[in-house]
Amino acid sequence: MVTTQSIYQRLSAAKKEGRKCFALLIDPDEVTPSSLPPLAELAVEARVDFIFVGGSLLVHNSLSDCLSRLRAACNLPLVLFPSSPLQIDDQADALLFLSLISGRNPELLIGQQVISAPYLAHSTLEVIGTGYMLVDGGQPTTVSYMSNTTPLPADKPDIAVATALAGQMLGMKLLYMDAGSGAKHPISERLIQRVSAQTEVPLIVGGGIRSPERAFQTANAGADVVVVGNAVENDRRLLRSMAEAVHGGS
Ligand code: 1GP
């Protein structure tokens, strides 16, 4: 990375200045190795702020190769978005140290974190404690199945706000509200507005965002970072317009 600021400092500064950020999510299982250098170039051209890398279930053991190809092709910050301790890799810059606070599965609230912590203590990764909130996106997603948790109801902002506040009070540095990759319905503006209005830490929102309009609305409603994965996997031409829509919402 060129900057000396940590990823968390960059996120906090952007929030303070009202600058919205766009994160491209790359699932290593969903890309071919040869597609990564051009995708990284496209991400630089589109002024993507962060590349998140991870997946709810990785079956091809290609995380390391994916990171090294991205690292060789661009200087964008690479942030691990892991679903298990198997997705720790020092080639990235940072790791979202997720606790699934919307669920009641102790393994994902604290168990996996205990397993990971000694490894992370010796790694070069910037570890960023993140309260991860899965929100109902209209149908079961890989993450809801794999995590064995019930997502937050999409139409109960009071529960989402209470959960987000609890995460913040527990000292989590970021909140990530996710409808799950490929969600039928992205998280509503109303829910984003309520949570962002009542919390102070940077808010990441993703899941089922398929158009520049929706990306804009998500940022405009209060998301500090908008994450898009599937839509760009399906049509790379969307990357630039999605990122522009988010940045234009600043
Ligand atoms: C999923 O928030 C991310 O965890 C992105 O979702 O792939 O639907 O864009 P999509």
Side-chain angles (χ1 to χ4, degrees):
M1 269 202 318
V2 182
T3 175
T4 51
Q5 265 189 328
S6 71
I7 305 275
Y8 180 66
Q9 283 168 339
R10 290 174 70 161
L11 282 165
S12 301
K15 181 175 176 74
K16 211 168 157 191
E17 292 158 18
R19 266 189 296 115
K20 303 293 179 175
C21 296
F22 181 87
L24 169 66
L25 173 64
I26 296 181
D27 179 334
D29 276 0
E30 301 297 332
V31 285
T32 57
S34 63
S35 69
L36 284 166
L39 180 57
E41 269 175 45
L42 200 61
V44 172
E45 280 167 28
R47 297 181 41 244
V48 163
D49 297 281
F50 305 99
I51 298 184
F52 288 3
V53 184
S56 305
L57 174 68
L58 298 187
V59 297
H60 291 136
N61 194 20
S62 56
L63 177 66
S64 172
D65 182 61
C66 175
L67 288 168
S68 64
R69 285 172 193 270
L70 289 171
R71 177 56 83 219
C74 73
N75 272 332
L76 290 172
L78 303 178
V79 180
L80 292 171
F81 174 44
S83 58
S84 88
L86 295 172
Q87 294 178 30
I88 296 174
D89 192 310
D90 276 359
Q91 293 175 91
D93 297 297
L95 172 136
L96 300 181
F97 196 46
L98 305 168
S99 178
L100 207 174
I101 58 175
S102 59
R104 298 297 178 268
N105 178 347
E107 269 307 302
L108 299 180
L109 277 165
I110 185 64
Q112 299 290 309
Q113 294 80 349
V114 171
I115 291 167
S116 314
Y119 292 89
L120 291 171
H122 294 289
S123 89
T124 54
L125 291 165
E126 177 189 346
V127 178
I128 311 174
T130 303
Y132 183 68
M133 297 162 58
L134 190 58
V135 177
D136 191 0
Q139 66 188 13
T141 56
T142 306
V143 61
S144 63
Y145 179 80
M146 291 304 295
S147 66
N148 196 17
T149 64
T150 307
L152 287 165
D155 58 349
K156 304 272 186 228
D158 287 346
I159 304 179
V161 168
T163 306
L165 280 173
Q168 183 175 280
M169 287 170 185
L170 282 164
M172 287 159 182
K173 291 173 152 182
L174 303 175
L175 293 166
Y176 191 147
M177 284 210 297
D178 196 354
S181 200
K184 195 166 162 190
H185 307 299
I187 298 176
S188 71
E189 291 169 84
R190 180 167 163 253
L191 198 70
I192 298 166
Q193 279 159 0
R194 285 285 309 275
V195 169
S196 76
Q198 293 186 58
T199 53
E200 279 109 49
V201 301
L203 176 64
I204 305 171
V205 178
I209 298 170
R210 294 184 177 81
S211 66
E213 294 74 26
R214 192 72 205 195
F216 171 80
Q217 287 159 358
T218 301
N220 201 42
D224 299 297
V225 182
V226 176
V227 187
V228 175
N230 256 268
V232 173
E233 270 164 27
N234 295 335
D235 182 358
R236 293 195 172 182
R237 289 168 304 179
L238 272 176
L239 182 56
R240 187 189 291 264
S241 50
M242 290 275 217
E244 271 173 10
V246 168
H247 292 141
S250 293

